[in-house]
Amino acid sequence: MTDPFMKRIEEECKRRLFWCSYNLDKYLGAMLGRPCVFHDEDIDQEYPSMTVYNPDLGVCLPTEEPNRRILIAPVLHFKLVRIVSRALREMYSVRPPTQKRSALIRRQLNDSLKAWRKELPAFLDPDQVDARLLVPNFQRQSNMLSLAYSHAVILVNRGSLMNKLRKSDVSSDTAGDEEDSNMKACLSAAMSILNDVDQIRRGGGRYCPHGGSPSTKPSAPS
């Protein structure tokens, strides 16, 4: 007879494996410009739950702080990539939308990105908490979400930037203002990525790749 608790653990592992595969599929599609394997309309898999198996009690329990917080960032990342997936599907398909349709999709996606950003807990939002104050695990998560969010903003809004570079005409002042706002968001996201990458390179910012404190430099190999 199958142990119900071990079955729960197996189900949870399958969920995490599925969503990790989903993220990898979408990012590879974005980087290589190829069709994705996973289609959102066919997915009914739930996100990973914030539970952990307690071997002493033999039960699955909601994790306590700070362990529970470790699971927040991965789930938020899965949700963010679903927005990326829609952008790939509706804005970068083999049959690109009309300029009017593209503007509508971009507006909806930007609203989704803003709603996602509001879900961020303060300790994972670099605009609210300096990640250098966090322990290494949360530093990495804060940095990862910052980079992923900036990538999504660029993916959604770079069409506005390209329109500006092509000096495309806009139908109204309102549309022009929206295009300018999208272009600024795209450029701001690009600068944010450059800043994050520079901090990683120097090992003294939001993410400490060697697991030390922000001010600690890696020692030379002996």
Side-chain angles (χ1 to χ4, degrees):
M1 183 176 180
T2 304
D3 187 331
F5 301 115
M6 294 305 297
K7 182 179 180 181
R8 177 72 178 276
I9 292 174
E10 182 179 349
E11 290 175 351
E12 187 62 25
C13 288
K14 288 179 178 179
R15 283 183 188 176
R16 297 182 186 190
L17 177 60
F18 172 85
W19 285 109
C20 287
S21 301
Y22 176 91
N23 275 21
L24 180 61
D25 176 51
K26 300 304 177 181
Y27 280 132
L28 286 175
M31 289 187 292
L32 302 177
R34 296 180 178 176
C36 297
V37 174
F38 293 99
H39 301 280
D40 290 83
E41 60 270 20
D42 298 327
I43 295 174
D44 61 0
Q45 180 62 267
E46 297 178 356
Y47 293 116
S49 61
M50 295 186 185
T51 59
V52 67
Y53 178 70
N54 188 316
D56 296 327
L57 300 178
V59 295
C60 289
L61 298 172
T63 56
E64 301 297 332
E65 305 292 356
N67 292 332
R68 183 178 181 183
R69 291 186 176 182
I70 291 291
L71 300 174
I72 294 176
V75 173
L76 285 171
H77 195 194
F78 299 146
K79 292 180 178 181
L80 179 61
V81 175
R82 297 206 77 168
I83 301 175
V84 170
S85 176
R86 184 187 172 191
L88 293 174
R89 184 175 67 254
E90 298 191 19
M91 300 183 70
Y92 297 95
S93 66
V94 293
R95 297 181 180 84
T98 63
Q99 186 171 350
K100 184 177 181 179
R101 173 64 179 166
S102 180
L104 175 61
I105 296 171
R106 188 176 295 115
R107 189 178 307 120
Q108 293 173 344
L109 289 171
N110 277 319
D111 288 342
S112 295
L113 287 171
K114 291 175 183 177
W116 178 89
R117 190 66 185 256
K118 290 180 180 179
E119 282 191 60
L120 278 179
F123 76 97
L124 288 176
D125 187 347
D127 291 339
Q128 298 188 55
V129 175
D130 189 334
R132 289 175 295 182
L133 302 176
L134 303 174
V135 297
N137 278 341
F138 292 143
Q139 289 178 22
R140 287 190 287 271
Q141 290 186 343
S142 177
N143 189 74
M144 176 270 294
L145 289 178
S146 177
L147 288 170
Y149 175 77
S150 295
H151 167 265
V153 171
I154 292 174
L155 186 71
V156 169
N157 292 295
R158 67 179 181 179
S160 295
L161 180 60
M162 297 305 296
N163 289 340
K164 190 74 172 181
L165 293 175
R166 297 190 194 103
K167 298 182 179 180
S168 298
D169 293 331
V170 293
S171 57
S172 67
D173 292 338
T174 302
D177 291 341
E178 185 175 6
E179 287 280 280
D180 287 343
S181 177
N182 294 339
M183 181 184 67
K184 290 177 181 178
C186 185
L187 294 174
S188 177
M191 292 302 299
S192 177
I193 289 176
L194 289 175
N195 180 65
D196 287 341
V197 171
D198 183 60
Q199 295 283 13
I200 293 173
R201 181 186 65 82
R202 292 189 288 112
R206 297 178 186 172
Y207 169 44
C208 300
H210 298 276
S213 63
S215 60
T216 301
K217 295 183 179 180
S219 58
S222 57

